[in-house]
Amino acid sequence: MERRKFITVVGTAAVATPVLGSLASCASDKKTFEGHKFPALPYAYNALEPYVDAETMELHYSKHYRGYYNKFMAAAEGATLADTPMEEIFAKISDQPEGIRNNGGGYYNHTLFWGNMTPDKKEIPAELKAALEKDFGSVDKFKEEFSKAAKTRFGSGWAWLSVDKKGKLFISSTPNQDNPLMNIVDEQGKPLLALDVWEHAYYLHYQNRRAEYVDNFWNIVNWDTVNDRLASV
Ligand code: MN3
């Protein structure tokens, strides 16, 4: 009973408070990261069902994500990085201890990930569609390549759509909590779309069927967020 009540409260808050919904736009991504805030989930735990189940969402957000955040904040204070923008930290991540890399990545990556999913079916905005067609040939080809990156990442990690310094879109995958902003990855860029392929993101519902989880991701992508992130580069 206690647990159900908690879910209801969180779900209601996520719908009622405008600040939470704005996590989806890039301007507010920046606002969130400026003060290293712990943002509320922009939808209820059960909002992405049947593609992401409520139990997974609750554990993922309230335990895994909270854990990365708390450890990052503790490490950041120790390293006097509490006021340093995440982009700056990641640009010199090779100078930082593992705790900053793993937990700072965990905090940042999940924040992007929550924001680029939505229970509301979205069409791909024209600007983003044109960019995907230009750099991948077609939207379907892009989805195919991104899905492949997500499905073939060995062990825990992430799949990404990012934009490089020249404005070209590219797909990559990173291990653990690394991301395309870090100066240790093969291809650096600004991430636009994130997909978590750690087992904790899907195992309760999909067990070993990561491919099914990845294919279902396309039903809940918030293309407006991706478009906003591209527009604000
Ligand atoms: Mn995760």
Side-chain angles (χ1 to χ4, degrees), residues 52-72:
V52 180
D53 64 286
E55 191 181 6
T56 296
M57 200 68 224
E58 182 178 358
L59 286 168
H60 202 176
Y61 175 83
S62 69
K63 303 294 182 194
H64 293 273
Y65 180 49
R66 173 61 83 176
Y68 291 122
Y69 177 75
N70 289 350
K71 286 178 195 158
F72 167 68

Side-chain angles (χ1 to χ4, degrees), residues 127-145:
E127 192 189 351
L128 175 63
K129 188 164 181 279
L132 290 170
E133 287 170 350
K134 178 173 165 283
D135 292 325
F136 300 104
S138 69
V139 170
D140 283 348
K141 191 85 183 110
F142 152 69
K143 286 184 179 176
E144 194 184 304
E145 284 182 35

Side-chain angles (χ1 to χ4, degrees), residues 15-230:
V15 173
T17 314
V19 174
L20 311 182
S22 66
L23 176 68
S25 86
C26 196
S28 63
D29 277 352
K30 266 182 197 155
K31 235 178 172 180
T32 298
F33 292 124
E34 254 168 33
H36 299 165
K37 296 181 192 74
F38 186 79
L41 199 61
Y43 31 74
Y45 289 136
N46 65 358
L48 304 180
E49 287 193 341
Y51 310 115
V52 180
D53 64 286
E55 191 181 6
T56 296
M57 200 68 224
E58 182 178 358
L59 286 168
H60 202 176
Y61 175 83
S62 69
K63 303 294 182 194
H64 293 273
Y65 180 49
R66 173 61 83 176
Y68 291 122
Y69 177 75
N70 289 350
K71 286 178 195 158
F72 167 68
M73 291 305 278
E77 293 221 350
T80 60
L81 293 170
D83 298 320
T84 309
M86 298 306 290
E87 286 83 354
E88 278 182 38
I89 296 174
F90 294 144
K92 293 180 182 171
I93 201 69
S94 52
D95 298 341
Q96 296 297 338
E98 289 265 297
I100 294 285
R101 174 174 162 186
N102 293 336
N103 297 302
Y107 163 50
Y108 187 90
N109 300 352
H110 287 90
T111 306
L112 292 189
F113 181 49
W114 313 139
N116 64 222
M117 293 190 290
T118 176
D120 308 317
K121 187 88 181 150
K122 301 277 186 183
E123 294 300 319
I124 303 182
E127 192 189 351
L128 175 63
K129 188 164 181 279
L132 290 170
E133 287 170 350
K134 178 173 165 283
D135 292 325
F136 300 104
S138 69
V139 170
D140 283 348
K141 191 85 183 110
F142 152 69
K143 286 184 179 176
E144 194 184 304
E145 284 182 35
F146 184 99
S147 296
K148 191 181 167 197
K151 290 172 187 177
T152 57
R153 158 54 47 197
F154 183 75
S156 299
W158 292 77
W160 303 97
L161 170 69
S162 306
V163 59
D164 71 14
K165 277 183 181 160
K166 292 176 180 167
K168 189 175 161 48
L169 302 181
F170 67 96
I171 290 163
S172 64
S173 89
T174 53
N176 304 314
Q177 296 297 350
D178 291 352
N179 68 48
L181 290 168
M182 294 181 176
N183 67 341
I184 46 168
V185 298
D186 294 337
E187 277 183 289
Q188 266 186 280
K190 187 199 160 184
L192 308 175
L193 177 66
L195 174 57
D196 188 343
V197 295
W198 282 59
E199 283 187 347
H200 68 225
Y202 64 85
Y203 208 86
L204 286 179
H205 182 70
Y206 295 93
Q207 288 88 44
N208 60 318
R209 303 186 306 278
R210 185 196 286 187
E212 199 180 316
Y213 161 73
V214 171
D215 291 338
N216 277 338
F217 174 64
W218 300 114
N219 294 300
I220 46 174
V221 170
N222 191 336
W223 296 108
D224 291 343
T225 300
V226 181
N227 193 57
D228 287 350
R229 287 174 185 163
L230 178 61

